[in-house]
Amino acid sequence: IGFRYTLSLASANPQLSWIILLLGFLALISPFVYFIFFSYLIGKKFSKQIEEPFNHLMEAAKKIQTHELDFQLVAFKSSKELNQLVQAFEDMRISLKNSLLRQWELEDERKEMVAAIAHDLRTPLTIIHGHVEGLLEGGTKNPERLDRYLQTIFSSTQRSIRLIDQLNEVSAIGRQNFIIEPESVNILEFIKRKREEYQILCAKKSITLQCTLAAVTGTIYIDVYRISQVLDNIMTNSIRYCPEYGEIDWIIKRENEKLIFEIVDNGPGFQPEETNRIFDKFYRVDQARSSSTGGTGLGLAIAKNIVEMHGGSIEARSDLDGTVFEVRLRTDFDISRENFLGTSD
């Protein structure tokens, strides 16, 4: 006869059976309790790590929505991926800020341009209107008066056309598809031709033009028409403000692989604080004097853009003895290789 039975801890200790069962149950669920507890702790810690960056990102998004971009997102001591997200958001903010600032600058510039055009065109058109009225009221009966009125109308018309032409130049140079057309130019022949042109202009005010060349020979790769435009704008500006029987020195020299044009006049000049603004569009040192002499405030801005497209630089300085304009062109600059764009010296 064989007997087989199961002896459990609870049956061996019937008085402690409920305690034993409870301990067994706790032992059974303890791994799950441990897992849940530590998952909660780890999740809470991770939540704290990402909560602050995400709060900053949401706050930044609200600021960007209202075009408030004067803030900075900093890196946090958290995961690498989250830092990459914050950095990407910061890069987006910087790009957006630069884009909006440029857009606002263009809008302000457009408003200033419209106001300047209206101001500059008002004077010649008012003169033309007044003289035409005078002719209609019987001015044609006096030949001397008729000739004087027609001369004034002609000069005012030329001034208006010149302003419109310069506006077209500024607009064309500012477009992305604008390019220059470089060619190999003999420096001496180019300077000789321009000097003859300027001597004719200087003779009208009995201005002495002195041209000095220092070790300048060979050829240079430039857009002849555009560089001529640069020199014309600077030289006519010097002639305009140079007094009668004044002096203009045009110095051409090479220096460290650069061709330098230096134009010095003994005109009234400008204040040192105006140096950084003299190449701005529509900026004129003396508004009243510029209006009377026909200046539009666009010539030097055009010259600066053209020189920089040639990889050069232009600057002006002035003192009690006169004004100096200095144009530096790189003689080793291959415009065709660098897609017609250069870096300022």
Side-chain angles (χ1 to χ4, degrees):
I1 300 173
F3 296 95
R4 186 169 65 180
Y5 60 92
T6 302
L7 180 63
S8 65
L9 183 63
S11 59
N13 302 277
Q15 68 277 14
L16 302 176
S17 59
W18 65 275
I19 296 177
I20 295 172
L21 292 174
L22 179 61
L23 292 175
F25 176 75
L26 292 177
L28 179 65
I29 66 171
S30 61
F32 301 99
V33 173
Y34 178 85
F35 177 78
I36 294 173
F37 177 72
F38 278 94
S39 296
Y40 171 77
L41 292 180
I42 294 173
K44 190 171 183 180
K45 182 179 180 181
F46 181 73
S47 175
K48 287 182 178 180
Q49 289 180 347
I50 66 172
E51 183 178 7
E52 187 177 2
F54 273 106
N55 287 337
H56 280 276
L57 288 176
M58 289 187 290
E59 184 180 353
K62 293 179 181 178
K63 289 182 178 180
I64 292 176
Q65 189 176 7
T66 58
H67 291 176
E68 182 184 348
L69 301 172
D70 291 328
F71 63 91
Q72 183 177 4
L73 290 171
V74 296
F76 293 91
K77 294 180 179 180
S78 55
S79 66
K80 177 182 178 181
E81 291 76 10
L82 188 57
N83 278 332
Q84 291 176 344
L85 174 62
V86 173
Q87 185 60 46
F89 207 94
E90 174 66 8
D91 294 340
M92 180 189 69
R93 180 196 68 82
I94 294 174
S95 299
L96 182 59
K97 180 180 179 180
N98 294 335
S99 176
L100 288 177
L101 287 176
R102 179 57 181 162
Q103 181 179 345
W104 294 334
E105 288 175 0
L106 290 175
E107 182 65 20
D108 292 339
E109 186 176 302
R110 184 188 64 81
K111 292 179 181 178
E112 292 178 0
M113 182 176 294
V114 171
I117 294 171
H119 177 271
D120 286 340
L121 284 177
R122 185 184 297 114
T123 301
L125 292 178
T126 300
I127 294 173
I128 294 172
H129 182 267
H131 283 69
V132 170
E133 278 188 342
L135 293 176
L136 293 175
E137 292 175 357
T140 56
K141 298 178 181 180
N142 186 336
E144 182 181 351
R145 184 180 181 186
L146 174 61
D147 182 69
R148 187 173 68 253
Y149 274 29
L150 290 178
Q151 288 292 337
T152 304
I153 292 173
F154 178 73
S155 62
S156 297
T157 304
Q158 280 188 317
R159 180 179 173 185
S160 301
I161 294 173
R162 183 167 62 252
L163 172 62
I164 294 172
D165 288 342
Q166 288 191 331
L167 287 171
N168 289 333
E169 286 286 345
V170 170
S171 177
I173 293 174
R175 289 196 294 265
Q176 292 183 350
N177 60 351
F178 176 82
I179 61 173
I180 54 180
E181 300 176 357
E183 59 182 286
S184 181
V185 180
N186 185 287
I187 301 175
L188 295 179
E189 292 180 1
F190 173 72
I191 294 172
K192 180 181 178 181
R193 184 172 63 252
K194 299 306 296 182
R195 181 182 60 185
E196 292 174 354
E197 295 176 6
Y198 300 146
Q199 284 176 337
I200 295 174
L201 296 176
C202 289
K204 296 180 180 180
K205 293 181 65 175
S206 300
I207 296 174
T208 301
L209 176 62
Q210 180 68 33
C211 186
T212 305
L213 286 81
V216 177
T217 57
T219 60
I220 187 172
Y221 200 58
I222 59 173
D223 187 324
V224 179
Y225 172 74
R226 293 299 177 183
I227 294 300
S228 294
Q229 190 177 7
V230 170
L231 295 175
D232 292 348
N233 287 338
I234 296 175
M235 189 64 73
T236 53
N237 191 73
S238 295
I239 295 173
R240 181 182 297 121
Y241 298 126
C242 197
E244 288 193 27
Y245 304 99
E247 296 179 357
I248 296 178
D249 292 329
W250 184 17
I251 304 168
I252 306 98
K253 57 186 177 181
R254 281 185 182 270
E255 183 180 291
N256 297 327
E257 298 299 328
K258 292 181 177 62
L259 180 65
I260 302 174
F261 296 108
E262 197 171 273
I263 299 174
V264 184
D265 66 67
N266 61 343
F270 52 87
Q271 298 298 322
E273 59 270 17
E274 296 176 301
T275 302
N276 295 330
R277 299 194 59 193
I278 196 170
F279 294 102
D280 293 346
K281 296 176 184 176
F282 294 105
Y283 182 77
R284 289 173 289 199
V285 175
D286 188 334
Q287 297 289 340
R289 183 181 64 188
S290 298
S291 297
S292 63
T293 56
T296 61
L298 288 172
L300 294 180
I302 294 173
K304 183 175 185 293
N305 288 334
I306 293 174
V307 170
E308 289 180 348
M309 292 189 73
H310 278 78
S313 64
I314 182 173
E315 62 181 28
R317 54 186 183 273
S318 183
D319 53 33
L320 297 178
D321 298 327
T323 303
V324 179
F325 284 93
E326 185 177 270
V327 177
R328 290 175 170 262
L329 298 176
R330 289 168 53 186
T331 57
D332 61 340
F333 184 65
D334 186 352
I335 301 176
S336 61
R337 185 180 69 247
E338 298 189 25
N339 196 24
F340 303 103
L341 294 176
T343 305
S344 298
D345 183 22

